[in-house]
């Protein structure tokens, strides 16, 4: 008889965030993750597949003890129909809803708000605290996970990062647009989409970018390009000045 693989129970840790599985989310593939990670995937990221095996999960169950999904009867469970989440008891449902609350922890008594925009307005007017719009836009995090900054600390966060997080060294700046981007990958996407670079230098590992008004535009008329492209598809070469164009001609055309 084939050996039966032991499925981890709620005494273990979540394979995604490594937190305790005091309340676990279980789908038909029987791969448990913590309810926080499941909520983040289904609610914030709109992703309804298993993070372990990628199987699509039409519904998940929030339960406190592992049992094979096929053996759990859900007809008596509370259900969130929007996200197709079933809850083993009322407390599990309450824990789920608490994750999605928009609360101010700066007030003497914790205040809840209907939308995150209302919370942002309250934090700005009552406490002069702000969250980083770049982090909020790109990072899928719960409202309670947001960091709030005064004006000075927010400027430091955007330029240099946070003192307590050495992995974040600020949001890089596009010197052409004077706009900041989440990280270097996002900045590179922007540069390649909205600015100009020399394809020849790029192929040699040099990544310099230019405004359009900084460049002199020529059609490449070398024999290779002329023979492999129709006139309407000739390669455009961007040069920062006439000297670099002369050096390119000397290297490519006049050899």
């Amino acid at each position: 008889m084939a050996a039966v693989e032991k499925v981890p129970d709620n005494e273990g840790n979540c394979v995604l965030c490594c937190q305790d599985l005091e309340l676990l989310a279980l789908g038909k593939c029987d791969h448990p993750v913590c309810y926080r990670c499941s909520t983040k995937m289904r609610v914030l990221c709109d992703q309804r597949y298993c993070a372990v095996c990628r199987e699509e999960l039409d519904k998940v169950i929030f339960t406190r003890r592992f049992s094979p999904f096929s053996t759990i009867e859900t007809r008596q469970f509370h259900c969130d129909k929007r996200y197709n989440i079933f809850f083993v008891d009322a407390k599990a449902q309450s824990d789920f809803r608490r994750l999605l609350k928009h609360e101010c922890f700066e007030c003497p008594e914790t205040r809840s708000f209907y939308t995150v925009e209302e919370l942002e307005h309250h934090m700005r007017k009552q406490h002069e605290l702000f969250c980083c719009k770049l982090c909020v836009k790109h990072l899928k995090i719960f409202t309670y996970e947001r960091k709030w900054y005064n004006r000075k600390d927010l400027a430091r966060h955007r330029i240099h990062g946070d003192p307590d997080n050495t992995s974040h060294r600020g949001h890089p700046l596009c010197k052409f647009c004077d706009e900041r981007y989440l990280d270097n990958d996002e900045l590179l996407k922007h540069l390649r989409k909205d600015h100009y670079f020399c394809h020849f230098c790029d192929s040699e590992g040099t990544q310099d970018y230019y405004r359009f008004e900084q460049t002199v535009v020529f059609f490449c008329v070398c024999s290779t390009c002329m023979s492999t492209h129709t006139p309407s598809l000739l390669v455009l070469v961007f040069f920062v000045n006439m000297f670099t164009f002369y050096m390119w001609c000397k290297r490519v055309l006049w050899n």
Side-chain angles (χ1 to χ4, degrees), residues 192 197-210:
R192 287 191 169 274
F197 63 97
C198 172
H199 296 274
F200 294 95
C201 296
D202 184 69
S203 66
E204 296 176 356
T206 302
Q207 294 183 333
D208 292 324
Y209 296 86
Y210 312 100

Side-chain angles (χ1 to χ4, degrees), residues 9 12 35 37 40 49 54 57 63 70 94 103 110 119 121 128 134 161 173 179 190 200 215 222 234 236 243:
D9 57 26
Y35 79 108
C37 290
K40 189 168 291 189
Y49 55 80
R54 314 291 285 190
L57 303 177
T63 182
S70 59
S94 175
E103 297 180 322
T110 302
L119 172 62
H121 178 79
E128 294 189 9
L134 279 173
L173 175 72
E179 294 285 341
H190 161 73
F200 294 95
T215 64
C222 71
L234 291 180
L236 278 177
F243 175 74

Side-chain angles (χ1 to χ4, degrees), residues 103-109 111-113 117-130 148-151:
E103 297 180 322
C104 171
F105 297 104
E106 297 292 327
C107 293
E109 295 184 3
R111 291 185 58 185
S112 294
F113 296 86
E117 290 77 17
E118 291 178 358
L119 172 62
E120 289 176 350
H121 178 79
H122 166 80
M123 297 296 285
R124 182 173 64 254
K125 293 296 185 180
Q126 299 298 321
H127 306 293
E128 294 189 9
L129 295 176
F130 310 85
W148 298 91
Y149 305 90
N150 58 37
R151 296 181 186 276

Side-chain angles (χ1 to χ4, degrees), residues 123-166:
M123 297 296 285
R124 182 173 64 254
K125 293 296 185 180
Q126 299 298 321
H127 306 293
E128 294 189 9
L129 295 176
F130 310 85
C131 57
C132 174
K133 293 297 185 181
L134 279 173
C135 292
V136 169
K137 178 181 178 181
H138 292 277
L139 303 179
K140 301 299 184 181
I141 56 177
F142 298 117
T143 303
Y144 76 86
E145 295 178 308
R146 290 188 182 190
K147 284 189 173 183
W148 298 91
Y149 305 90
N150 58 37
R151 296 181 186 276
K152 179 180 178 180
D153 289 344
L154 179 60
R156 180 181 60 188
H157 164 84
R158 287 170 55 84
I159 299 172
H160 303 295
D162 299 328
D164 59 347
N165 183 5
T166 56

Side-chain angles (χ1 to χ4, degrees), residues 22-214:
E22 76 278 1
L23 179 60
L24 58 90
L26 193 65
K28 59 186 176 182
C29 59
D30 284 338
H31 290 135
V33 298
C34 77
Y35 79 108
R36 298 181 189 87
C37 290
S38 180
T39 301
K40 189 168 291 189
M41 289 187 65
R42 296 181 78 85
V43 178
L44 302 187
C45 302
D46 195 25
Q47 297 172 343
R48 301 198 176 191
Y49 55 80
C50 173
V52 178
C53 68
R54 314 291 285 190
E55 182 175 358
E56 196 72 17
L57 303 177
D58 55 340
K59 67 178 181 180
V60 295
I61 301 170
F62 283 11
T63 182
R64 303 190 184 281
R65 188 178 300 275
F66 177 84
S67 297
F69 181 85
S70 59
T71 67
I72 302 177
E73 180 56 63
T74 62
R75 283 184 296 181
Q76 302 300 320
F77 286 7
H78 299 276
C79 176
D80 185 296
K81 295 182 179 180
R82 181 177 180 183
Y83 302 108
N84 245 12
I85 301 175
F86 291 81
F87 306 96
V88 68
D89 53 37
K91 186 178 185 307
Q93 187 175 27
S94 175
D95 291 343
F96 163 76
R97 290 176 174 173
R98 189 178 297 113
L99 290 177
L100 304 179
K101 283 186 175 181
H102 311 298
E103 297 180 322
C104 171
F105 297 104
E106 297 292 327
C107 293
E109 295 184 3
T110 302
R111 291 185 58 185
S112 294
F113 296 86
Y114 186 71
T115 66
V116 69
E117 290 77 17
E118 291 178 358
L119 172 62
E120 289 176 350
H121 178 79
H122 166 80
M123 297 296 285
R124 182 173 64 254
K125 293 296 185 180
Q126 299 298 321
H127 306 293
E128 294 189 9
L129 295 176
F130 310 85
C131 57
C132 174
K133 293 297 185 181
L134 279 173
C135 292
V136 169
K137 178 181 178 181
H138 292 277
L139 303 179
K140 301 299 184 181
I141 56 177
F142 298 117
T143 303
Y144 76 86
E145 295 178 308
R146 290 188 182 190
K147 284 189 173 183
W148 298 91
Y149 305 90
N150 58 37
R151 296 181 186 276
K152 179 180 178 180
D153 289 344
L154 179 60
R156 180 181 60 188
H157 164 84
R158 287 170 55 84
I159 299 172
H160 303 295
D162 299 328
D164 59 347
N165 183 5
T166 56
S167 64
H168 172 62
R169 299 184 181 276
H171 299 300
L173 175 72
C174 173
K175 297 180 180 179
F176 301 124
C177 304
D178 198 32
E179 294 285 341
R180 294 191 177 274
Y181 291 82
L182 178 69
D183 52 28
N184 289 326
D185 290 339
E186 291 295 323
L187 175 60
L188 182 60
K189 290 178 185 178
H190 161 73
L191 289 171
R192 287 191 169 274
K193 177 182 177 183
D194 297 328
H195 298 294
Y196 299 90
F197 63 97
C198 172
H199 296 274
F200 294 95
C201 296
D202 184 69
S203 66
E204 296 176 356
T206 302
Q207 294 183 333
D208 292 324
Y209 296 86
Y210 312 100
R211 291 190 183 93
F212 182 77
E213 62 268 18
Q214 289 180 309

